RNA sequence: CGGGCUGUAGCUCAGCUUGGCUAGAGCGCUGCGUUCGGGACGCAGAGGCCGGAGGUUCAAAUCCUCUCAGCCCGACCA
């Protein structure tokens, strides 16, 4: 008799959260480490989730007038030098291409050929503001060309020293929107519109509650005038920046000569924005909903929303049960959820039933249906929900089909409600430095328990705050956009302040 | 780039201190059988230049030197 662990994932979240995260990624078959340091292989199940994220976001981008395009992977090094802050921000983490040919080396291996050294090194894009800006400069000559609303789905490389699956990898997949506008007001509006779209997507589709806010100067995107983000709270009480939208002012326009003739015939600089979300969202999804039995997927993003597990003992039963399952699948697929046909999968692999069931539990499929000869005879299915756990309940087949969309909607809502409740439980208002320090200091420093959360505090940015945050490993997440004006005192300096910011430990 | 650690089967590791039998275990994989509304069990089997190079020795996974790779803790970050 093998040991029967109570949970499918070991260790549990409370035992060792970072290790739990790695185990969920593995158990759910989302991704694995690759032969390239810091880079991951995204496996079919994980990639299917990303594809769903892409599709849902892409629809929103198109609905707001954006078009997709594609720009080069390589950026001439000189381009990066044009915007001073931008260089400083990214120079330390760039992969650089210096040669275009290999030759045999004396040891029987290969080496870059000295004769094939590039005149100017190419940078593998860490982000594309510069190359896209240079392109936009050519596209733009008249106010009639504006606005330019472009999005690109791409991979980027940032040579991070410390990587974690989905949350921070050397190469990652993302989308970057880049727009050009005639006026400041219009560019600001675009920046805010895209932030709203990200927030709506996160909450509606990912069932992940987020706080919209503006980044402090210290956390701003290199080269931006203002950076906005959506901030989510993970189950280990650490914050995750889940999406950013930048108002770039005229900084990049001036650096790259993005200008046009206005209606008065004057040559003026344009106003630009950029915004993006990445495969990091998958990490956020995992850490928002999953439990000690593995991944829990919100129905709107699940590659399969319903999995049917046929149960039979012999070929006769197999034929009968599979036929029933196929018809069930066909009826379920005819139902619609979130404006799409319900996604159904029959798992008829030659595996033991229990093992199969647990695989789907760990992969986070919202609804599992077990169908055996007894169900076939009675016209029933045995249905189990992933988000609430527990065993399957017998349900009349047609009733289940008729109610599947509603049920998926309930699962989706339940996940959001649960995540929101969890966030509220770790959100506090703090008015003294002493209290702040206590909130962010684990009781046991050697084996830190889960601690911290979102702390709303009055603050005035400056060296005192920087130093204190650094020593506590806390970061300023954002100043919430829906926060209210309120007279207060900065907990770091005692200076007067009018708004609270959110502080948290973060990924 | 500093400080700690690890490279042995597909995966997780034992063996190294004190050199010596045919290099091991668990999981996974393959086959057969018994089970089976369920993460089962039994039997049989496949799978290793012990990270790489050099050295010491009658003899090296084990000792020495060099080298490569990876992990953890800092500094940096979507």
């Amino acid at each position: 008799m093998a040991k029967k662990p109570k949970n499918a994932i070991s260790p549990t979240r409370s035992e060792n959260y970072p290790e739990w995260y790695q185990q969920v990624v593995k158990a759910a078959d989302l991704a694995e480490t690759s032969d390239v340091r810091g880079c991951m292989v995204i496996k079919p199940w994980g990639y299917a989730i990303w594809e769903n994220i892409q599709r849902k976001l892409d629809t929103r981008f198109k609905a707001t007038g954006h078009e997709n395009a594609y720009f080069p992977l390589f950026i001439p090094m000189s381009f990066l030098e044009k915007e001073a802050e931008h260089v400083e921000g990214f120079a330390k983490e760039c992969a650089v291409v210096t040669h275009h040919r290999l030759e045999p080396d004396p040891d029987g291996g290969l080496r870059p050929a000295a004769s094939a050294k590039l005149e100017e090194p190419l940078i593998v894009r860490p982000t594309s503001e510069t190359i896209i800006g240079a392109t936009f400069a050519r596209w733009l000559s008249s106010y009639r060309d504006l606005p330019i609303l472009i999005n690109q789905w791409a991979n980027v490389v940032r040579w991070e020293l410390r990587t974690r699956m989905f949350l921070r990898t050397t190469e990652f997949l993302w989308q970057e929107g880049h727009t050009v506008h005639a006026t400041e007001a219009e560019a600001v509006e675009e920046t805010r519109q895209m932030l709203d779209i990200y927030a709506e997507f996160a909450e509606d589709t990912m069932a992940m509650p987020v706080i919209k806010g503006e980044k402090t100067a210290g956390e701003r995107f290199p080269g931006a005038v203002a950076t906005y983000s959506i901030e989510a709270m993970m189950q280990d009480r650490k914050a995750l920046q889940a999406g950013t939208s930048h108002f770039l002012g005229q900084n990049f326009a001036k650096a790259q000569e993005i200008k046009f003739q206005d209606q008065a015939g004057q040559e003026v600089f344009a106003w630009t924005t950029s915004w993006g979300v990445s495969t990091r969202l998958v990490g956020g999804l995992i850490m928002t909903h999953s439990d000690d039995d593995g991944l829990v997927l919100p129905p709107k993003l699940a590659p399969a929303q319903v999995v049917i597990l046929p149960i039979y003992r012999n070929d006769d039963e197999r034929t009968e049960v599979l036929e029933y399952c196929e018809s069930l699948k066909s009826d379920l697929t005819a139902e619609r959820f979130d404006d799409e046909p319900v996604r159904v999968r029959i798992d008829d692999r030659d595996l033991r039933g229990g093992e199969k069931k647990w695989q789907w539990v760990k992969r986070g499929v919202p609804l599992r249906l077990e169908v055996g000869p007894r169900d076939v005879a009675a016209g029933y299915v045995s249905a189990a929900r992933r988000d609430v756990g527990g065993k399957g309940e017998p349900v009349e087949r047609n009733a289940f089909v008729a109610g599947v969309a509603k049920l998926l909607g309930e699962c989706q809502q339940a996940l959001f409600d649960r995540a929101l409740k969890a966030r509220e439980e770790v959100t506090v208002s703090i008015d003294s430095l002493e209290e702040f320090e206590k909130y962010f200091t684990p009781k046991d420093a050697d084996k830190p328990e889960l601690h911290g959360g979102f702390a709303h505090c009055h603050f005035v940015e400056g060296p005192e705050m920087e130093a204190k945050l650094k020593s506590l490993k806390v970061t300023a997440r954002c100043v919430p956009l829906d926060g209210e004006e309120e007279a207060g005192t900065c907990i770091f300096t005692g200076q007067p302040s009018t708004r609270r910011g959110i502080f948290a430990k973060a990924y």
Side-chain angles (χ1 to χ4, degrees):
Chain A
M1 182 87 176
K3 271 172 278 177
K4 258 197 191 165
K6 206 165 152 200
N7 302 107
I9 302 297
S10 175
T12 61
R13 285 164 293 179
S14 56
E15 285 165 357
N16 184 344
Y17 195 87
E19 180 60 23
W20 165 85
Y21 176 82
Q22 301 287 2
Q23 292 303 324
V24 171
V25 169
K26 190 173 168 188
D29 222 17
L30 296 174
E32 62 190 29
T33 53
S34 72
D35 297 319
V36 183
R37 179 205 154 89
C39 297
M40 63 177 172
V41 173
I42 304 178
K43 300 179 77 175
W45 191 249
Y47 198 76
I49 294 170
W50 176 242
E51 285 178 313
N52 286 342
I53 290 174
Q54 280 186 303
R55 194 175 65 251
K56 301 281 181 185
L57 277 173
D58 204 60
T59 303
R60 286 165 167 82
F61 298 158
K62 302 254 173 72
T64 44
H66 303 87
E67 294 180 294
N68 286 332
Y70 189 79
F71 297 83
L73 168 68
F74 302 119
I75 300 176
M77 195 162 74
S78 59
F79 278 40
L80 223 60
E81 294 161 355
K82 286 179 188 163
E83 216 292 337
E85 289 184 32
H86 197 62
V87 189
E88 203 182 323
F90 288 106
K92 284 170 284 185
E93 50 190 38
C94 284
V96 186
V97 179
T98 54
H99 293 75
H100 64 82
R101 192 172 62 236
L102 296 170
E103 66 185 11
D105 74 8
D107 302 327
L110 290 168
R111 67 182 178 196
S115 60
K117 189 157 189 260
L118 295 179
E119 193 76 11
E120 177 183 357
L122 295 171
I123 309 301
V124 179
R125 63 181 165 217
T127 180
S128 305
E129 272 76 8
T130 56
I131 185 86
I132 292 181
T135 309
F136 285 174
R138 288 199 301 274
W139 290 1
L140 180 62
S141 51
S142 156
Y143 69 92
R144 293 192 180 89
D145 299 323
L146 293 173
I148 298 174
L149 305 172
I150 293 292
N151 176 63
Q152 149 165 286
W153 289 97
N155 56 339
V156 288
V157 167
R158 294 183 191 176
W159 212 267
E160 305 285 357
L161 299 176
R162 182 111 163 66
T163 59
R164 296 192 68 190
M165 293 265 213
F166 289 110
L167 297 171
R168 178 166 294 109
T169 46
T170 301
E171 177 190 15
F172 58 97
L173 305 181
W174 78 344
Q175 95 7 251
E176 48 181 326
H178 296 273
T179 68
V180 188
H181 307 267
T183 66
E184 175 172 20
E186 205 184 290
V188 169
E189 192 189 329
E190 166 77 5
T191 309
R192 295 287 294 271
Q193 172 188 249
M194 298 324 289
L195 185 73
D196 288 344
I197 285 177
Y198 286 156
E200 186 272 333
F201 168 80
E203 302 204 327
D204 175 79
T205 306
M206 297 179 67
M208 180 173 79
V210 293
I211 292 170
K212 289 186 283 187
E214 180 174 353
K215 285 288 188 187
T216 60
E219 301 278 331
R220 206 174 277 152
F221 176 75
V225 171
T227 287
Y228 299 89
S229 72
I230 51 171
E231 299 286 331
M233 178 48 64
M234 303 294 104
Q235 294 182 61
D236 62 347
R237 304 179 163 209
K238 285 166 83 173
L240 182 78
Q241 177 174 306
T244 49
S245 187
H246 314 290
F247 169 57
L248 303 175
Q250 293 181 310
N251 293 348
F252 283 84
K254 285 177 178 166
Q256 302 187 277
E257 304 272 295
I258 305 173
K259 51 194 181 182
F260 64 99
Q261 273 195 312
D262 65 14
Q263 275 171 287
Q266 294 287 315
E267 186 168 72
V268 295
F269 287 112
W271 302 80
T272 65
T273 82
S274 69
W275 29 274
V277 298
S278 71
T279 34
R280 171 177 251 205
L281 286 179
V282 178
L285 197 67
I286 297 167
M287 291 196 291
T288 299
H289 303 302
S290 300
D291 60 23
D292 295 336
D293 283 329
L295 189 64
V296 177
L297 286 169
K300 289 187 180 181
L301 288 178
Q305 292 156 331
V306 182
V307 64
I308 302 174
L309 305 171
I311 295 160
Y312 48 80
R313 271 177 252 200
N314 52 50
D315 282 353
D316 284 351
E317 284 184 357
R318 179 170 189 273
T319 308
E320 185 191 28
V321 168
L322 280 184
E323 201 175 303
Y324 185 88
C325 290
E326 288 294 349
S327 127
L328 181 60
K329 176 182 175 180
S330 148
D331 286 356
L332 284 168
T333 306
E335 296 293 316
R336 294 180 74 82
F337 172 69
D338 194 33
D339 296 327
E340 293 177 328
V342 171
R343 297 187 280 272
V344 185
R345 192 178 291 208
I346 297 175
D347 185 356
D348 186 34
R349 287 175 303 164
D350 180 22
L351 283 180
R352 295 184 51 74
E355 192 180 345
K356 229 194 282 195
K357 168 195 151 179
W358 279 101
Q359 283 187 10
W360 292 109
V361 169
K362 288 184 280 193
R363 285 172 153 223
V365 174
L367 299 174
R368 293 189 313 280
L369 299 183
E370 294 165 8
V371 174
R374 291 210 291 273
D375 296 301
V376 175
Y380 268 62
V381 296
S382 171
R385 269 172 74 161
R386 176 65 180 89
D387 62 322
V388 292
K391 292 203 68 161
E393 298 288 334
V395 187
E396 202 272 317
R397 174 203 188 277
N398 293 332
F400 179 84
V401 171
V404 70
K406 184 163 171 280
L407 186 56
L408 288 170
E410 284 169 20
C411 296
Q412 180 85 22
Q413 188 62 45
L415 288 178
F416 179 82
D417 292 345
R418 186 164 76 183
L420 183 60
K421 185 160 172 279
R423 185 184 81 187
E424 279 167 358
E425 279 167 3
V426 298
T427 300
V428 295
S429 217
I430 288 179
D431 292 310
S432 78
L433 189 55
E434 188 189 356
E435 208 185 326
F436 187 84
E437 285 174 342
K438 195 177 159 203
Y439 188 63
F440 286 114
T441 305
K443 292 182 180 65
D444 182 351
D446 293 331
K447 196 174 173 296
E449 74 283 358
L450 295 182
H451 68 283
F454 275 143
H456 290 248
C457 310
H458 278 283
F459 75 103
V460 173
E461 230 177 326
E464 294 90 348
M465 178 175 114
E466 294 288 312
K468 181 51 71 183
L469 292 184
K470 193 162 187 177
S471 72
L472 287 171
K473 292 184 181 172
V474 172
T475 55
R477 301 318 302 158
C478 67
V479 179
L481 294 177
D482 61 3
E484 290 173 15
E485 291 277 328
E486 151 193 305
T489 312
C490 168
I491 62 168
F492 305 102
T493 63
Q495 293 171 39
S497 142
T498 57
R499 291 194 91 159
R500 285 177 187 270
I502 298 187
F503 295 83
K505 298 202 172 182
Y507 279 96

